[in-house]
Amino acid sequence: MKVHKYAAFFLLCLLLLNSLILTDSAAANISTDAQKMDAVLVVDVSNSMKDSDKNKISNEAMKMFIDMLSKNGDKVGMVAYTDQIIREKALMKIGSDADKTDFKKYIDTLSLGAYTDIAVGVSEAVKILDAGKEADHTPLIILLTDGNNYLNPNSDRTEELSGKDLDEAIRKSKSEGYPIYTIGLNADGTLNKTILEKLSGETGGKFFTTTTADDLPRILSEIFANHLKLKVIPITNLTGNGQFQDVNIDIPNNSVMEANISITSGNPIEAKLFSPDGKEIEIPSDDVYYSKSKAYSLIKLIKPASGNWKVQVKGVQKDKIDINMVFNYDLGLRLVDPAKKNYKKGDVIAIQSFLESNGQKVDSPELYQSMGAKLVVNEIASNTISELTLTNDGKSFHGEFTIPEDKKYELKVVAEDNSFYRETDPIIIDASVMAAASAAPEKMENKKDFPWLLYVMMGIGLIFLAALAFYILSFIKKANKGFIGQIVVEIRDEDTGEKTTPQYRKLNTFKGKIKLHQLLQLAPEYIETESIILVPGKNDTLTLFNKGEVIIEKAGRAVDASKGITIKKNDRLKAKLSKVNKSISLDYLI
């Protein structure tokens, strides 16, 4: 038997394996609906900041950033440094207005000191992320400084040592995916832009520079939006006249999860809020968060109704008032994975992408109405980017991509309008494999025989590939395994003893796994349940994993569910929450 037949069979197995891997990775080509972040604020508190930021606008800007964070589980930490760490705070989960208030009070306690060593602050921020980041959160570091290093001449610290530490922090940030956003306060014109541009450029962040601290609220708003792939929407600029002035706020659809309206001015302002039906809404209230300081006011609308809202703003005479908005949408963008896996030059791939919410396709022409979408193609070997405009038919985006060469390509779809930006995770289209497979037999024809060792090695390789393919298929099957039955949820207030009416949550709409927080309809009050995961088990059972601090009880006794516990038909469990002093009873019915 000719050896090239074995080689062809070997290549066929490689193609099969490649197809399986692509199929498995297809589950990842969906952008998250509402990302959470793990942010570390790093601030230079050297004495020179007295001149660069006389009114402590940097503190106010950081507070506004805190106010923009979601109470649905965003986390934030802080490092204040000179040539050493002056104060630091580990990542803290934001779960309430009180959490934000506590953190803002902490910012007000920061004091200044002598000397500056940027590497000290950045290195500590990396350690904080290493210790407290969560897998489903997007990490970032924000560095705010006013200048160069100024090392203590009486210490052993040198610029060379500082530079090495900074390079190591950059290397670690790059490898772990920690983008560093740098803000340089260049009041005296001596800012070392090179260092800050290097920090941002090599880690995937952005560099900002300003000659006045008054720009900091705007810059931090832009960082917040950029990191979550949102948009800062300029609303208007006003000049205060001592009277209330009307500002229209358009909420385009009901998929807006949060609308952050930031109002910056030289002096505090007064604000009133009116819903689309003209009714005045109390500020603050259950669905309206409000925070104000001497430099800014922030109004956060939670799940606002679509329509034309109105804010009335009253500012000090002749004060400049800037009003901007950042939407956070409860929407994702899915790129449909092509059914075919083996491609060659000239093949045409049908591209289809659509919006989704909670894993379900969104059929809403109003949402698509003003959106544009494009296919972004990256030829991986040369890193050459090209774009293809997609057609918007009111319920999806679609088009065709013709493979230009026998090469490997990365495809993703980007959709946006004036207030919205989403992109899918990329998928890989590999046209180089088929080219190699078709070329292999021709090359093998010129070969007569191979040593028997090659046959043995090929046999071992095939066994390995078969085992790997079996493992991947098992993984895919597990990831797509469906649920049966339903969970009955009852919530008890441990302070008052009051119970909610039992709610029945059907499980057959989910596959692979589900978080208890999803069954509780993502209510921010129960954010602790984000760490409790249910997966389908054998023989119509469920397996519950508890990755957090919630106490799980079964038959009245606390159980360790960190490695999973089995739930059978008619089993009842109780999850006891600490932050809100409530318990959740779960009954599994089939």
Side-chain angles (χ1 to χ4, degrees):
M1 184 180 291
K2 296 290 186 181
V3 174
H4 73 261
K5 293 183 179 178
Y6 287 105
F9 182 61
F10 184 72
L11 282 168
L12 182 61
C13 289
L14 282 176
L15 290 172
L16 172 63
L17 181 62
N18 180 66
S19 173
L20 288 170
I21 292 173
L22 286 173
T23 301
D24 182 44
S25 65
N29 69 332
I30 310 166
S31 67
T32 47
D33 291 359
Q35 291 183 333
K36 301 180 183 68
M37 68 167 71
D38 289 337
V40 180
L41 301 171
V42 184
V43 57
D44 176 354
V45 290
S46 59
N47 284 325
S48 59
M49 290 291 281
K50 290 179 182 177
D51 297 323
S52 302
D53 186 11
K54 295 177 182 178
N55 296 319
K56 294 187 177 181
I57 299 298
S58 58
N59 283 12
E60 300 305 310
M62 288 188 289
K63 291 178 190 176
M64 191 178 79
F65 184 87
I66 300 301
D67 282 331
M68 292 179 72
L69 294 176
S70 171
K71 292 186 292 183
N72 199 26
D74 281 345
K75 294 196 300 183
V76 62
M78 171 166 278
V79 176
Y81 73 95
T82 53
D83 62 334
Q84 55 188 315
I85 303 301
I86 301 300
R87 299 287 300 276
E88 71 174 287
K89 195 175 186 67
L91 287 171
M92 182 186 88
K93 184 167 287 189
I94 302 295
S96 65
D97 293 344
D99 290 338
K100 293 185 178 185
T101 300
D102 289 345
F103 205 103
K104 289 187 291 183
K105 286 180 179 178
Y106 180 84
I107 290 174
D108 283 332
T109 67
L110 300 180
S111 58
L112 302 179
Y115 313 114
T116 313
D117 189 344
I118 292 175
V120 169
V122 177
S123 298
E124 192 64 22
V126 172
K127 292 177 184 176
I128 288 176
L129 281 177
D130 284 343
K133 66 182 178 182
E134 292 190 32
D136 59 344
H137 287 209
T138 60
L140 75 156
I141 295 170
I142 302 173
L143 170 64
L144 194 154
T145 180
D146 75 335
N148 303 279
N149 277 357
Y150 176 40
L151 304 181
N152 185 347
N154 297 320
S155 72
D156 295 330
R157 186 70 164 174
T158 64
E159 288 291 350
E160 182 180 6
L161 287 173
S162 177
K164 286 182 178 179
D165 286 349
L166 191 62
D167 286 342
E168 174 58 21
I170 291 173
R171 185 200 65 77
K172 184 68 180 291
S173 296
K174 186 175 181 179
S175 66
E176 294 294 329
Y178 304 158
I180 301 176
Y181 294 83
T182 57
I183 308 171
L185 266 175
N186 196 19
D188 59 3
T190 63
L191 180 71
N192 187 341
K193 296 182 180 180
T194 303
I195 290 179
L196 301 187
E197 287 175 338
K198 179 180 179 181
L199 277 163
S200 295
E202 294 190 14
T203 60
K206 273 191 174 184
F207 166 62
F208 299 85
T209 181
T210 177
T211 57
T212 171
D214 293 343
D215 288 336
L216 292 179
R218 174 187 58 79
I219 291 173
L220 278 166
S221 292
E222 188 170 338
I223 291 173
F224 177 89
N226 182 83
H227 187 67
L228 293 180
K229 293 183 170 55
L230 307 172
K231 285 189 173 185
V232 176
I233 307 165
I235 300 299
T236 189
N237 297 321
L238 299 175
T239 299
N241 60 11
Q243 304 295 321
F244 281 104
Q245 301 179 68
D246 290 349
V247 177
N248 291 322
I249 302 293
D250 182 44
I251 304 297
N253 53 69
N254 290 324
S255 290
V256 174
M257 187 175 70
E258 293 180 346
N260 292 285
I261 305 166
S262 62
I263 306 169
T264 56
S265 57
N267 292 280
I269 60 96
E270 293 181 48
K272 295 181 180 180
L273 177 68
F274 298 85
S275 62
D277 60 5
K279 179 183 178 182
E280 183 172 0
I281 306 298
E282 185 178 355
I283 304 178
S285 55
D286 289 343
D287 296 322
V288 180
Y289 173 78
Y290 183 60
S291 178
K292 62 186 296 186
S293 77
K294 61 184 179 183
Y296 76 91
S297 294
L298 184 93
I299 301 172
K300 183 191 287 284
L301 308 182
I302 311 298
K303 295 292 290 184
S306 62
N308 190 16
W309 291 65
K310 183 171 68 176
V311 176
Q312 290 186 339
V313 177
K314 181 179 179 181
V316 173
Q317 191 84 22
K318 296 184 179 181
D319 247 5
K320 180 183 177 183
I321 304 171
D322 292 328
I323 303 176
N324 297 282
M325 182 161 58
V326 176
F327 286 138
N328 197 352
Y329 278 90
D330 187 19
L331 284 175
L333 184 65
R334 177 190 287 268
L335 171 58
V336 178
D337 195 25
K340 183 180 176 182
K341 298 302 174 187
N342 303 323
Y343 296 97
K344 63 183 184 299
K345 177 181 177 181
D347 282 351
V348 178
I349 300 175
I351 301 298
Q352 185 180 19
S353 181
F354 54 81
L355 299 170
E356 65 175 12
S357 179
N358 241 1
Q360 302 297 315
K361 183 178 179 181
V362 175
D363 289 318
S364 175
E366 315 89 71
L367 278 177
Y368 286 90
Q369 181 174 304
S370 58
M371 283 191 194
K374 59 187 177 182
L375 177 70
V376 180
V377 181
N378 179 20
E379 194 274 287
I380 294 175
S382 63
N383 196 31
T384 302
I385 305 292
S386 60
E387 296 180 354
L388 172 68
T389 300
L390 299 178
T391 300
N392 180 347
D393 63 10
K395 56 184 179 181
S396 68
F397 309 107
H398 56 87
E400 291 184 341
F401 169 62
T402 302
I403 298 176
E405 301 290 341
D406 289 324
K407 296 180 179 180
K408 183 182 289 188
Y409 300 89
E410 178 186 86
L411 310 182
K412 68 178 179 181
V413 171
V414 172
E416 60 182 321
D417 65 10
N418 291 333
S419 65
F420 176 87
Y421 181 97
R422 281 290 186 272
E423 63 181 50
T424 66
D425 286 340
I427 62 172
I428 301 299
I429 299 296
D430 193 350
S432 64
V433 176
M434 284 295 289
S438 61
E442 181 180 345
K443 293 180 180 179
M444 284 301 204
E445 286 292 343
N446 298 323
K447 301 284 185 180
K448 290 188 178 179
D449 288 310
F450 279 79
W452 281 104
L453 178 62
L454 179 60
Y455 287 93
V456 175
M457 294 300 293
M458 291 175 69
I460 293 173
L462 290 173
I463 293 172
F464 170 76
L465 287 173
L468 185 58
F470 177 78
Y471 171 78
I472 293 173
L473 284 171
S474 299
F475 178 83
I476 295 170
K477 183 178 180 181
K478 181 178 180 181
N480 289 293
K481 185 175 181 180
F483 290 85
I484 67 167
Q486 56 189 336
I487 292 284
V488 184
V489 179
E490 187 179 69
I491 302 172
R492 182 180 190 272
D493 189 318
E494 297 296 336
D495 292 325
T496 64
E498 294 181 355
K499 294 182 180 181
T500 63
T501 303
Q503 300 291 319
Y504 291 78
R505 310 291 191 215
K506 292 185 178 181
L507 300 177
N508 57 8
T509 57
F510 300 95
K511 288 187 177 181
K513 67 178 181 180
I514 179 176
K515 295 179 179 179
L516 179 56
H517 196 217
Q518 291 173 269
L519 292 179
L520 296 171
Q521 299 180 334
L522 303 178
E525 184 179 9
Y526 308 120
I527 186 62
E528 291 174 80
T529 60
E530 181 83 9
S531 63
I532 299 175
I533 299 170
L534 297 168
V535 299
K538 296 180 180 179
N539 301 321
D540 297 337
T541 63
L542 300 177
T543 303
L544 181 145
F545 294 90
N546 181 16
K547 302 298 184 180
E549 298 178 358
V550 176
I551 297 174
I552 302 296
E553 291 184 354
K554 187 174 182 181
R557 299 178 60 183
V559 294
D560 180 6
S562 59
K563 296 181 180 179
I565 59 171
T566 299
I567 306 175
K568 299 177 182 178
K569 177 183 176 182
N570 296 326
D571 275 356
R572 164 171 279 209
L573 278 76
K574 179 182 287 187
K576 301 182 72 173
L577 312 184
S578 59
K579 290 187 177 180
V580 293
N581 199 25
K582 293 185 178 181
S583 61
I584 302 169
S585 296
L586 306 171
D587 289 277
Y588 179 43
L589 305 179
I590 299 178

